[in-house]
Amino acid sequence: MLEVLDIARYAASGTNGQPVEWLVVHDPEKVRKIAGLTIEWMRSLLNTPHPMSSYVPMLISAWEQGYDVICRGAPHLLFAHIPEKNPVAPVDAIIALTHFDIAAPAFGIGTCWAGFVAAAAMYYEPLQKELGLPAGRKCAYAMMFGNPQYKIYGIPRRKPLEVMWQ
């Protein structure tokens, strides 16, 4: 894990500012608690103009039936956090997380981007308090990780390459 984070620290960043720092949630019980707080945030979106308002009822329902639709049973979470007032740091964080995502399989680590958790961590104060990031820093994005459950036998299908030359 530390080797992969060490690779990610070499990711490009605006003006080479290297604003990304990491929070590793290693305890699976805390991961489950964070997933529950994400569901709480989703409940606050019901019947609002939020773009996810119509989408969250099925996620909440699945959660209530015992299905972890938030973290999919992943044992660990990785949060990239950045200075609150750095306008280019969100992009820097995504670049660093991409480095982590690409390097992780070489170390036997499976990953999955945690978009629901990331959104909740950006906007839901109870989750922000649970994470306890240092003052002046905010969550940029989150990623699930752990031992892969399945072996990958091929690259997922992608749209054909589209390039314009001038």
Side-chain angles (χ1 to χ4, degrees):
M1 169 70 188
L2 287 176
E3 294 105 340
V4 185
L5 285 173
D6 197 44
I7 290 167
R9 77 184 172 91
Y10 284 93
S13 60
T15 68
N16 197 30
Q18 303 173 336
V20 181
E21 295 180 10
W22 306 98
L23 168 65
V24 178
V25 178
H26 199 260
D27 180 0
E29 288 303 314
K30 186 158 182 173
V31 171
R32 180 96 176 141
K33 183 174 185 180
I34 289 168
L37 287 166
T38 301
I39 289 290
E40 281 183 23
W41 170 71
M42 288 179 171
R43 288 183 206 284
S44 75
L45 304 179
L46 292 169
N47 304 312
T48 70
H50 193 280
M52 286 180 55
S53 177
S54 63
Y55 184 72
V56 296
M58 71 176 171
L59 295 170
I60 294 167
S61 175
W63 177 265
E64 289 172 346
Q65 294 173 42
Y67 298 102
D68 180 3
V69 292
I70 303 302
C71 291
R72 305 285 180 175
H76 317 297
L77 281 168
L78 176 64
F79 291 87
H81 60 92
I82 55 173
E84 289 175 346
K85 297 185 178 176
N86 182 330
V88 297
V91 174
D92 297 339
I94 296 301
I95 294 168
L97 275 166
T98 300
H99 277 62
F100 182 89
D101 191 31
I102 291 171
F107 293 84
I109 298 171
T111 60
C112 182
W113 293 78
F116 295 140
V117 173
M122 288 178 207
Y123 302 110
Y124 192 53
E125 191 173 333
L127 179 49
Q128 293 166 352
K129 286 182 179 177
E130 178 67 27
L131 296 178
L133 295 178
R137 299 196 61 88
K138 66 180 182 177
C139 175
Y141 217 83
M143 184 172 285
M144 299 170 257
F145 72 96
N147 293 319
Q149 184 175 358
Y150 303 104
K151 184 174 178 164
I152 297 171
Y153 291 99
I155 296 172
R157 287 188 310 260
R158 294 288 187 248
K159 295 187 322 184
L161 177 65
E162 293 186 32
V163 178
M164 262 179 47
W165 296 86
Q166 294 188 0

